Amino acid sequence: MESVGCLDTVLLKTASRCNFDCTYCYVYQGPDQSWRNQPKRMRRDLLTTVQERLNEQANHQQRGFAIVLHGGEPLLLGFDELARLLRGLRVNLSPKSHPISIQTNGSLLSERWLDLFHETKTSVSVSIDGPPEANDIARISHRGESTFLSTLRGIRLLSSHPESAFLFAGTLSVIQPSVEPGLVYNFLKGIKTPSMDFLMQDGNHDHLPAGKSRFDSTEYGDWLIELFDIYFDDPFPVRIRFFDDLLKLCLGGKGRKEGMGDDQYGILTIETNGEIRKNDTLRTSYEGADQFRRTRNITDTSIHEILSSEEYLDYAGMQLPISSRCKECSLLPICGGGMPLYRWSKERGYDNPSVYCHDHYRLIRHALERVREFGIDHPSS
Ligand code: SF4
């Protein structure tokens, strides 16, 4: 995949605050508190500059790129400003080459928003961790109350919209290993999500992810194996992107996501003050881990300039693991060593296998065995 020096995904922080106060949030609860210095919303002149910079980049590279509106809660930008941004982006960037999507907690959605998203061909993915017993563990309001019903209301609006086949991209759930995977899968299927995606909890070798007891324990691997079997054996499955990528890789194909397989992805973040940063999930390692050495802002630097810099190439190269354990691992072409944030330790930097190494290993071995039931082996085995 042509990736280094090429933009694959830009995360656009249209608002730096959130109307929820999820206890696991890497933006507000992590070691990097730089969100406090960010303007709450992106200013109108910066929104115009973002459009110009993205148009400029679209002219620079042949391949399209995805634009993901992120926060905080991206809808906190406000309707008029977001409408101006989305309509402005769509003047030159077509939905086919430049998909635009929003990652939202769903609570602020209304018919008006959905009509705007339909008009501007913007798809919506909603964060929800499953039924209340899973969702209420971390996804709470600033008053410490459950946010479940407000998210569910948004999902119902989305799934009942006449254009929901395009608009509703799916759900994104953080794994709560204490809740049975079958409960989560059946719940998400029941609310008619067209696609599920799952994320491991944030963590690294210094701060183990919630629900993981040791580096060599496999709570997440066991949970994912159970979910994998439910999915694999379901005669009418709802797509799980994480597993589809895994299966493609098990069959010798390519994944489509950072942290799996051995391709590199060009990911940049634009903050509400216009600052351009690396993938913002890196900030879970330490304060400033997602910043370039010299602060770059869209007002004075083009995206192309960043992508051509040595520092960017070093950052993109980080996606390939450097630990000797990963380099010697037979599963590396499938596993990819996990996302860089999971490899961090103060002592060795990113020179570690993923903190989820044993979970990945168990899951991948299991997936390969299930695929083998159909007489198919990974090409390298
Ligand atoms: S299974 Fe572990 S050692 Fe193998 S590539 Fe993945 S993280 Fe590295």
Side-chain angles (χ1 to χ4, degrees):
M1 182 181 284
E2 172 211 0
S3 277
V4 176
C6 205
L7 186 65
D8 291 298
T9 301
V10 60
L11 303 170
L12 200 51
K13 304 268 179 179
T14 53
S16 67
R17 302 294 193 272
C18 188
N19 56 334
F20 284 11
D21 192 22
C22 303
T23 54
Y24 55 35
C25 181
Y26 68 89
V27 179
Y28 305 111
Q29 314 291 349
D32 186 314
Q33 290 290 303
S34 58
W35 62 272
R36 293 177 189 277
N37 304 322
Q38 286 292 336
K40 288 184 179 161
R41 296 172 189 83
M42 200 177 263
R43 283 194 326 259
R44 182 174 289 186
D45 60 310
L46 282 178
L47 291 169
T48 307
T49 311
V50 165
Q51 285 166 40
E52 290 165 1
R53 290 297 190 197
L54 293 181
N55 284 337
E56 199 177 61
Q57 185 56 27
N59 292 332
H60 254 294
Q61 65 178 55
Q62 270 192 331
R63 204 173 66 221
F65 52 83
I67 302 164
V68 183
L69 270 50
H70 238 258
E73 168 52 48
L75 301 193
L76 287 177
L77 179 63
F79 186 88
D80 292 344
E81 294 305 283
L82 203 58
R84 179 185 293 272
L85 172 70
L86 293 173
R87 288 177 182 139
L89 287 170
R90 278 290 174 241
V91 171
N92 290 312
L93 304 179
S94 83
K96 204 162 170 221
S97 57
H98 296 90
I100 305 178
S101 59
I102 291 195
Q103 187 64 48
T104 174
N105 63 39
S107 63
L108 302 174
L109 289 173
S110 65
E111 294 286 353
R112 190 171 176 231
W113 282 111
L114 298 185
D115 290 344
L116 168 69
F117 299 152
H118 172 233
E119 175 204 325
T120 54
K121 289 281 167 285
T122 302
S123 64
V124 183
S125 170
V126 182
S127 303
I128 183 168
D129 292 346
E133 49 268 60
N135 202 66
D136 288 352
I137 293 175
R139 302 192 61 80
I140 54 172
S141 71
H142 286 275
R143 296 158 111 189
E145 291 162 355
S146 170
T147 57
F148 177 77
L149 289 176
S150 60
T151 295
L152 192 62
R153 186 202 58 83
I155 289 176
R156 293 216 163 110
L157 261 183
L158 251 178
S159 61
S160 58
H161 192 279
E163 300 296 335
S164 72
F166 168 78
L167 281 175
F168 192 8
T171 48
L172 178 63
S173 307
V174 173
I175 296 171
Q176 292 293 357
S178 61
V179 179
E180 277 184 35
L183 264 180
V184 176
Y185 181 78
N186 289 329
F187 168 78
L188 294 173
K189 200 172 169 182
I191 59 170
K192 299 192 174 59
T193 184
S195 168
M196 304 177 197
D197 205 2
F198 290 90
L199 284 176
M200 312 286 222
Q201 300 244 1
D202 291 338
N204 53 45
H205 290 270
D206 295 336
H207 299 283
L208 287 180
K212 188 163 170 65
S213 52
R214 299 182 316 274
F215 169 61
D216 60 358
S217 66
T218 57
E219 294 88 345
Y220 284 80
D222 299 341
W223 195 94
L224 283 164
I225 284 174
E226 210 178 316
L227 182 65
F228 182 90
D229 284 342
I230 293 168
Y231 180 52
F232 206 73
D233 297 332
D234 185 346
F236 303 103
V238 175
R239 177 172 183 247
I240 300 182
R241 193 177 134 174
F242 178 78
F243 288 148
D244 288 355
D245 276 353
L246 174 61
L247 284 166
K248 265 187 228 151
L249 288 159
C250 286
L251 298 171
K254 300 275 183 196
R256 292 192 309 126
K257 205 176 173 183
E258 186 201 21
M260 267 181 130
D262 50 12
D263 284 311
Q264 294 171 43
Y265 297 90
I267 303 172
L268 288 175
T269 305
I270 303 178
E271 295 287 340
T272 50
N273 67 353
E275 191 182 335
I276 307 174
R277 293 195 182 192
K278 305 170 188 174
N279 190 342
D280 74 334
T281 57
L282 285 174
R283 64 177 64 175
T284 61
S285 306
Y286 57 92
E287 173 125 30
D290 61 336
Q291 285 172 279
F292 287 101
R293 277 190 294 275
R294 182 165 68 76
T295 306
R296 327 276 190 117
N297 195 291
I298 47 158
T299 51
D300 54 37
T301 312
S302 70
I303 291 173
H304 179 68
E305 217 177 312
I306 300 247
L307 294 173
S308 321
S309 69
E310 219 167 285
E311 197 182 355
Y312 172 81
L313 297 180
D314 287 349
Y315 148 63
M318 253 176 86
Q319 288 171 23
L320 298 178
I322 51 172
S323 98
S324 53
R325 182 181 171 121
C326 290
K327 283 183 178 165
E328 287 157 18
C329 176
S330 61
L331 298 185
L332 177 63
I334 300 174
C335 171
M339 288 174 70
L341 78 136
Y342 300 129
R343 298 181 205 145
W344 172 259
S345 73
K346 255 195 204 119
E347 197 190 330
R348 299 175 59 89
Y350 295 100
D351 185 2
N352 297 297
S354 168
V355 71
Y356 287 113
C357 171
H358 289 266
D359 303 274
H360 289 181
Y361 201 85
R362 253 180 76 66
L363 173 66
I364 296 169
R365 302 287 314 178
H366 182 78
L368 286 168
E369 266 167 41
R370 294 294 323 252
V371 166
R372 215 166 282 135
E373 286 170 19
F374 295 85
I376 308 169
D377 274 322
H378 185 267
S380 69
S381 56

